[in-house]
Amino acid sequence: MGDEILHETEREKDLRVYIMPNLSPEVHITIITSAAYARLANIRTTIRNLRKESFRILYTTYEKPILEYEALAWSPYLIKHKTMLEKVQIYANRLVPELRGMSSWEKLREMHVTLLEDRRARGDMITTYKNSKRN
């Protein structure tokens, strides 16, 4: 650009979304899952007996925004990326003593928490619908 030389970078951060030269969301997913696990660790050490309702409020306020922010831009397409994200949600539900003894799917249903993949698919459908109505 003019006299300035642009250098290639391994990753670039724009609006809190990490972009790789090959457009893979791997680094972004790794960073956000690490941040989500760190917040869950803070919740676990701060609150000993976490009730279902309290957990749902904490999860939807602090965790889901991290895991879903700008998902349309970096939506994972590889199973390993989807699994990394869903494991955070499954781990989070283990923090609620009331849910011990239930399977991961039963815990999600009991907590009225939608799978992240389903929420991304819903977002994609809404965006597609809105775009089709503009034309």
Side-chain angles (χ1 to χ4, degrees), residues 74-93:
W74 56 266
S75 187
Y77 50 89
L78 296 177
I79 292 173
K80 72 177 186 174
H81 296 151
K82 293 176 184 180
T83 304
M84 286 172 67
L85 292 164
E86 296 299 340
K87 280 184 177 181
V88 173
Q89 196 168 30
I90 290 168
Y91 173 77
N93 284 324

Side-chain angles (χ1 to χ4, degrees), residues 18-133:
Y18 291 89
I19 301 168
M20 305 288 294
N22 63 358
L23 300 179
S24 169
E26 181 139 5
V27 169
H28 181 72
I29 292 171
T30 301
I31 289 169
I32 64 171
T33 54
S34 296
Y37 280 122
R39 285 195 181 197
L40 287 172
N42 288 339
I43 291 169
R44 187 183 69 228
T45 56
T46 306
I47 305 169
R48 292 284 181 221
N49 288 325
L50 196 56
R51 310 291 296 161
K52 280 191 317 189
E53 283 304 313
S54 301
F55 174 77
R56 188 179 345 204
I57 292 167
L58 288 170
Y59 181 78
T60 55
T61 304
Y62 295 110
E63 289 297 308
K64 279 174 73 171
I66 292 173
L67 298 171
E68 295 180 343
Y69 178 73
E70 289 296 324
L72 288 175
W74 56 266
S75 187
Y77 50 89
L78 296 177
I79 292 173
K80 72 177 186 174
H81 296 151
K82 293 176 184 180
T83 304
M84 286 172 67
L85 292 164
E86 296 299 340
K87 280 184 177 181
V88 173
Q89 196 168 30
I90 290 168
Y91 173 77
N93 284 324
R94 290 184 191 156
L95 301 179
V96 183
E98 295 175 60
L99 302 178
R100 290 209 172 103
M102 294 183 179
S103 72
S104 298
W105 304 115
E106 289 172 331
K107 289 177 184 179
L108 291 172
R109 197 172 347 159
E110 181 71 24
M111 294 295 295
H112 305 287
V113 174
T114 309
L115 286 173
L116 295 169
E117 184 172 4
D118 293 344
R119 289 184 55 83
R120 286 190 304 272
R122 182 177 182 271
D124 289 345
M125 287 187 277
I126 290 169
T127 301
T128 302
Y129 176 78
K130 286 180 179 179
N131 288 338
S132 70
K133 289 296 180 186

